[in-house]
Amino acid sequence: VPSPSAPRQVWPEEFATRYREKGYWRGETFGDFLRARAAAHPDRLAVVDARHRWSYGELLARSERAAQGWLGLGLRPGDRVIVQIPNVAGFFPAVFGLFLAGLVPVYALPAHRQTELAHFAARSGAKALVILDRHEGFDYRPLAAEVQAGAPELRHVVVIGDPGPHLGFDALPDGGQALPQVDPASVAFLQISGGSTGLSKLIPRTHDDYIYSFRASAEICGLGADSVYMAALPVAHNFPMSSPGVMGALYAGSRVVMCPNPSADTAFRLIAQEGVTITGVVPPVALLWMQAAAKTPHDISSLQVLQVGGAKFIPEAAARVRPTLGCRLQQVFGMAEGLVNYTRLDDPEEIVVTTQGRPISPDDEVLVLDDDGRPVPEGQPGHLLTRGPYTIRAYHDEPAANARSFTPDGFYRTGDIVRRLPSGHLVVQGRAGDHINRAGEKISAEEIEDHLLAHPGIFDAAVVSIPDAFLGERSCAFVILQPGAALRAPEVKAFMRGRGLAEFKVPDQVVFVEEFQTTAVGKVSRNVLRAQLRARFLDEGK
Ligand code: J2J
């Protein structure tokens, strides 16, 4: 029985046929590959965290039980389930259980709060939410209750650990049903976009396209039976999920180590304990690790490859990775919408240090265009557009955003400004859009401005990115107060905290201004205004 209601992501037939003929899409599902690995090497360790060490066989058994549990709740193939689980082993039975039952995970980050979760629930029509009870000092159960109270379709909250008032993951009723035949061309899960304008969009990824991206990534990164991949960033992020991430590692039959937070202390201890060979971090984490390694000696000699991505890693810092950490650097420039670029393990050091890599696939089509949509000469900066066997053709249910973000012939406008070298390697120069890339977390200026405007004392607000030596970029809110209002920066930040947002979205800095300069021509666009404010701020800072 094909899963009845899981939508299929539609690439035009000629493309789908080509991607199948070339062997990129192999008609395999998440459930298929886990079953195959569990059959091939049931006793090999698959997943490790502070409390669990599960073999491939045990992981499959737990996932099949979970699949029965999901169906036992009355969920039906195609139904969406929000997954908000940090880096613990329990992530895997939960999501592989969903895959095996033909259900569709919607990945939320551990940092997301009521406002974001409510948005995901509304956009996806999710029927359930699965969480870990608590992590790093935060209790997710009251948050889940609050989300459920505002989302009529969200019928179940399922908790790994102590369920409190909710349902326990280990106590789900056994559906006692045959698991469905899952269509590999169907949407496997919904990933969260960085939200370059407005609120985060949902990104539909199919089994076929996503498995291709991490299978090929695992090959590029040389993963095999002896590799140990550590998830240092929150695993719901596309980078640690799939580049090659935990999924690429499991596909390759490697071991996955779940690191609860990326502090040097925690990460270095786990690297030594578990013999980690490869992990991926954002630039600020790489900087902290290099600092820590220079200060006190640690045994991280097992680490062969440190991947850095999510935001620009400056060449000066990139050059220090090998001398300070004693491992190779791999730069990764990717996006949850699809295209991922890697420097290759055998690229010359110069390329590894100064570029953000080249695409995974020979069929990744890359355009670098000027403002008028014409190709720029090689080596010149331009807008990056892309299309290929694992890049989406549309967001989930977003007609307006889709019209903006995709060309009529299906290229995704990444919003990034890049240069392409003759070797095909890309150098990220900046971006055209208006989000803030804060240590790899993408924040939409528009989303934050809308929250600021909800304060009765605020007349207008513009949020811009400011270069930051550690974070790469920090967020700065320029605020015009209502006449008579007397707000200070801490009050604005406290107000934003009360909006139920991920903490990383609270502006790092608040600057009060009397007015926004507008031109005589009339109302300037928000983009121009933000650029003016940023320029003035940087000027005055000098
Ligand atoms: C500069 N900017 C980068 C880099 C991403 C692997 C790695 C990262 C992501 C990711 C991912 C960058 N240098 N090395 O999904 O699978 C910025 C670009 C890009 C945006 C995408 C993966 N690596 N970026 O970061 O969806 O602006 O994915 O368009 O979170 O991050 O963000 P996101």
Side-chain angles (χ1 to χ4, degrees), residues 192-194 237-239 242-243 308-313 331-338 340 356 414 416 428 431 435 437 440 442:
I192 302 300
S193 82
H237 260 289
N238 200 55
F239 178 15
S242 70
S243 300
V308 179
K312 175 88 177 199
F313 198 34
Q331 295 215 41
V332 189
F333 162 40
M335 51 208 71
E337 285 82 355
V340 182
Q356 279 65 58
T414 66
D416 293 315
V428 181
R431 71 175 164 271
H435 65 257
N437 187 338
K442 318 308 183 299

Side-chain angles (χ1 to χ4, degrees), residues 408-451:
D409 48 1
F411 280 86
Y412 168 56
R413 301 179 200 274
T414 66
D416 293 315
I417 307 290
V418 303
R419 290 190 298 122
R420 185 170 39 183
L421 308 182
S423 60
H425 289 79
L426 302 176
V427 179
V428 181
Q429 299 286 112
R431 71 175 164 271
D434 257 334
H435 65 257
I436 296 106
N437 187 338
R438 186 185 189 276
E441 301 287 6
K442 318 308 183 299
I443 306 166
S444 147
E446 191 180 310
E447 179 185 356
I448 306 309
E449 288 163 4
D450 286 346
H451 282 284

Side-chain angles (χ1 to χ4, degrees), residues 229-298:
Y229 174 87
M230 182 174 78
L233 301 172
V235 74
H237 260 289
N238 200 55
F239 178 15
M241 177 83 78
S242 70
S243 300
V246 294
M247 289 301 172
L250 292 175
Y251 194 93
S254 313
R255 181 185 308 176
V256 168
V257 174
M258 296 298 254
C259 183
N261 70 67
S263 71
D265 255 13
T266 309
F268 287 3
R269 192 164 26 82
L270 272 176
I271 292 172
Q273 253 171 36
E274 299 293 338
V276 171
T277 60
I278 174 169
T279 187
V281 297
V282 289
V285 171
L287 295 178
L288 286 176
W289 287 12
M290 290 196 282
Q291 236 174 40
K295 239 190 262 157
T296 26
H298 291 84

Side-chain angles (χ1 to χ4, degrees), residues 70 73 128-132 156-160 166-169 172:
W70 293 124
L73 277 181
L129 164 64
V130 55
I131 58 171
L132 181 71
H156 315 284
V157 172
V158 177
V159 183
I160 299 174
H166 308 295
L167 294 167
F169 180 74
L172 294 181

Side-chain angles (χ1 to χ4, degrees), residues 76 102 123 148 256 265 284 319 326 397 511 520:
R76 288 292 157 259
R123 293 319 290 233
Q148 191 178 26
V256 168
D265 255 13
D397 197 14
V511 174

